[in-house]
Amino acid sequence: MSPAFERVGDSIGESGPVGWRCPDRFDDWLRVPVPLESTHPRFDIRRARPEEFEAIYDLVDESFGRRRPRALYEWFYRRNPFGLARCWIVIDRGSGKIVSSSASWPWPIAHGDEAVDGTLGADTAVAPAWQRLGIDRLRPEVWRSHPWTPTTVESRRRLSRRCCAA
């Protein structure tokens, strides 16, 4: 379980919605070992670094056939008051290009009176030339092996682990 969020007020502002503030744990998320790696001969699957976010923005724009304002991407991926986006990417080994991406954004979830780590599912995209070829099925096995992924809040008001301990 990650560190608790700290309540700092009751308004939306720089500290985040409803005044919650927490440390950005992106570096910890990026460094923690992931037990599984891609076994596909053509694709690498890994966590994206912030310097790759621009390529992810381009991929999402290309995949959906429209260009979002960069300021919107920047807020979601870099300036979210709860931390940097957590993105998993699929890279074609031959070209070195990102062909698929899935992002989530850190966001606190209320569990009674307690705020616990949570994420909002975000942009998931596959490059048009790679769509309908099963690329999106490559990512989940590796992504789910990350020790932080299986933490859930069950309806019985207790935290549980589906797969792995953190």
Side-chain angles (χ1 to χ4, degrees):
M1 176 83 142
S2 58
F5 290 85
E6 174 186 344
R7 188 150 176 88
V8 294
D10 292 323
S11 63
I12 296 176
E14 284 299 309
S15 61
V18 198
W20 293 103
R21 180 177 59 211
C22 67
D24 183 3
R25 299 190 57 224
F26 179 84
D27 290 335
D28 296 336
W29 174 83
L30 192 60
R31 276 193 302 261
V32 69
V34 176
L36 297 179
E37 294 182 9
S38 174
T39 57
H40 196 282
R42 186 164 185 181
F43 301 104
D44 284 323
I45 301 166
R46 64 172 174 77
R47 293 163 280 189
R49 297 176 304 276
E51 58 269 18
E52 295 170 304
F53 287 174
E54 286 288 329
I56 292 170
Y57 307 163
D58 292 339
L59 172 68
V60 173
D61 285 345
E62 178 187 15
S63 297
F64 291 99
R66 66 184 180 107
R67 185 167 170 82
R68 286 183 183 161
R70 282 305 199 237
L72 179 65
Y73 281 119
E74 286 295 312
W75 192 91
F76 281 132
Y77 284 76
R78 296 181 196 271
R79 294 194 327 247
N80 171 353
F82 299 112
L84 294 169
R86 278 52 165 167
C87 303
W88 289 88
I89 54 178
V90 177
I91 301 168
D92 175 42
R93 289 181 178 143
S95 67
K97 292 189 178 192
I98 298 172
V99 297
S100 180
S101 173
S102 181
S104 63
W105 300 312
W107 206 260
I109 297 173
H111 184 236
D113 291 338
E114 179 185 3
V116 296
D117 278 351
T119 59
L120 291 174
D123 298 321
T124 296
V126 177
W130 296 92
Q131 291 175 359
R132 294 181 171 77
L133 298 174
I135 300 296
D136 59 332
R137 289 188 301 244
L138 298 176
R139 192 177 43 252
E141 184 178 12
V142 175
W143 169 74
R144 287 184 184 121
S145 77
H146 190 289
W148 292 12
T149 300
T151 302
T152 62
V153 177
E154 290 185 344
S155 61
R156 286 173 262 160
R157 297 184 181 210
R158 65 182 179 87
L159 292 175
S160 68
R161 300 249 178 232
R162 265 191 266 173
C163 305
C164 318

